[in-house]
Amino acid sequence: MGWFVNAVGFVSVLYILRDVFHTLWHPTRHGGLSRLVMSLLWRLTASLRGGRRASGLAGPLAMVTVVALWALVVVVGWALIYWPHMPEDFTYAVGLRPAQHADFLDALYISLVHVSTLGLGDIAPAEGWLRILAPMEAVVGFVLLTATVSWTLGIYPALARRRALALRLWHLSCTHPTTEQIDTDAGAAVIDSLAAGISVIAVDFMQYAESYYFHDGDDRTSLARNLAYADNLAGQAAGARHPDVRLAGAALRAALEDLAVILDERFLHTSGTPREVFDAFAQDHGPRTRP
């Protein structure tokens, strides 16, 4: 029975390490637990009366929840490894009676001490392989701390890039550029910069897929509500006389199609055209307030 408990503990720890790896360090996939938690909270907040305000909490709250679950499962998993071997394979400080400190709560305490790298030493493993595992738990605790910081430092710059591109599209749409204004060298430069920006966002959605579950705020900074204008602009550039404008428009169209594929395969599952995917993206991130 003891080895079965140990096996459950080992599997739990390995599952969390796998989830951290796929969430942070694998560029084409993300962890099952993190995605499940974030998508569930996204759907839950979307159904609440708070509307945008509730949706705005989904991403940050989901990140906190995922990190808390990572830490909780690691602590419990390591406690399950220690528990069957208490008190025989552990040393106790003077004044502590081993028989009174051998239940699961004591194993949980030992696990918390090691994962937080406190090293109090009042209860310590004495068996050889347990003495090796205890420092390994401290390493895992440090990995979780580093992973949390790396995740935050990765997602929020990606959100800033997404919102900056949305704001640029909003500003362009507010100027109502004519076909004559677009059919120029300046128009080609603007459209080409938009194509480059869309490509960056596509990579962000692949590498930081959890950023999808962050609400972008009002219409000006919401990429979901401004992609339709980029699609219109690509169509307008396709009919231009200037060859550079047509080339930039083709690049923008290709970037939009790639982005639509990523959004649909990972999040929306509409199997529709790029415009249908963008409409579903806009609907998922809140109702349109601007035509």
Side-chain angles (χ1 to χ4, degrees):
M1 183 64 180
W3 288 108
F4 175 76
V5 175
N6 280 167
V8 173
F10 275 115
V11 170
S12 300
V13 172
L14 290 176
Y15 175 77
I16 292 302
L17 292 178
R18 175 192 176 278
D19 194 70
V20 172
F21 174 77
H22 283 305
T23 299
L24 300 178
W25 297 307
H26 199 294
T28 58
R29 294 186 62 186
H30 43 276
L33 179 63
S34 56
R35 172 146 190 210
L36 176 63
V37 170
M38 299 196 84
S39 61
L40 284 177
L41 281 175
W42 177 257
R43 304 304 173 198
L44 177 62
T45 54
S47 65
L48 298 178
R49 288 186 175 184
R52 290 187 181 183
R53 181 176 298 180
S55 296
L57 294 174
L61 182 60
M63 283 189 70
V64 172
T65 303
V66 169
V67 172
L69 283 174
W70 284 345
L72 176 63
V73 175
V74 164
V75 169
V76 172
W78 236 282
L80 291 173
I81 296 173
Y82 297 141
W83 185 29
H85 305 281
M86 297 177 66
E88 295 84 2
D89 296 331
F90 284 79
T91 59
Y92 292 78
V94 177
L96 294 179
R97 296 182 179 180
Q100 296 179 353
H101 296 278
D103 57 19
F104 182 71
L105 286 179
D106 293 290
L108 201 61
Y109 163 75
I110 297 170
S111 182
L112 282 168
V113 167
H114 284 107
V115 81
S116 60
T117 67
L118 290 177
L120 298 180
D122 52 346
I123 305 177
E127 183 68 23
W129 68 276
L130 287 173
R131 294 177 65 188
I132 294 175
L133 279 180
M136 288 179 62
E137 184 179 7
V139 172
V140 170
F142 183 75
V143 167
L144 287 179
L145 176 62
T146 305
T148 302
V149 175
S150 300
W151 200 17
T152 303
L153 294 179
I155 279 188
Y156 280 94
L159 292 174
R161 290 189 291 269
R162 190 169 86 196
R163 291 162 182 170
L165 178 61
L167 191 59
R168 178 156 176 74
L169 286 169
W170 173 274
H171 290 158
L172 279 173
S173 67
C174 289
T175 63
H176 303 291
T178 63
T179 303
E180 290 75 15
Q181 290 174 319
I182 292 175
D183 202 1
T184 60
D185 291 337
V190 168
I191 295 173
D192 186 64
S193 69
L194 291 178
I198 294 291
S199 298
V200 171
I201 301 306
V203 173
D204 284 340
F205 274 125
M206 287 192 293
Q207 190 152 357
Y208 304 104
E210 292 78 13
S211 64
Y212 177 88
Y213 302 106
F214 281 74
H215 200 273
D216 286 325
D218 59 29
D219 287 350
R220 297 179 305 163
T221 56
S222 175
L223 184 64
R225 299 186 195 94
N226 287 285
L227 276 176
Y229 178 74
D231 191 51
N232 293 337
L233 199 59
Q236 197 173 358
R241 291 175 297 177
H242 199 300
D244 290 346
V245 175
R246 293 198 302 272
L247 178 61
L252 178 58
R253 174 69 66 195
L256 287 168
E257 289 175 354
D258 283 344
L259 178 60
V261 169
I262 293 168
L263 289 172
D264 204 42
E265 288 182 350
R266 287 177 173 260
F267 312 107
L268 299 170
H269 311 294
T270 67
S271 300
T273 64
R275 191 56 178 263
E276 291 171 341
V277 172
F278 296 149
D279 287 342
F281 183 33
Q283 184 177 2
D284 199 31
H285 279 250
R288 291 178 182 267
T289 60
R290 180 177 181 269

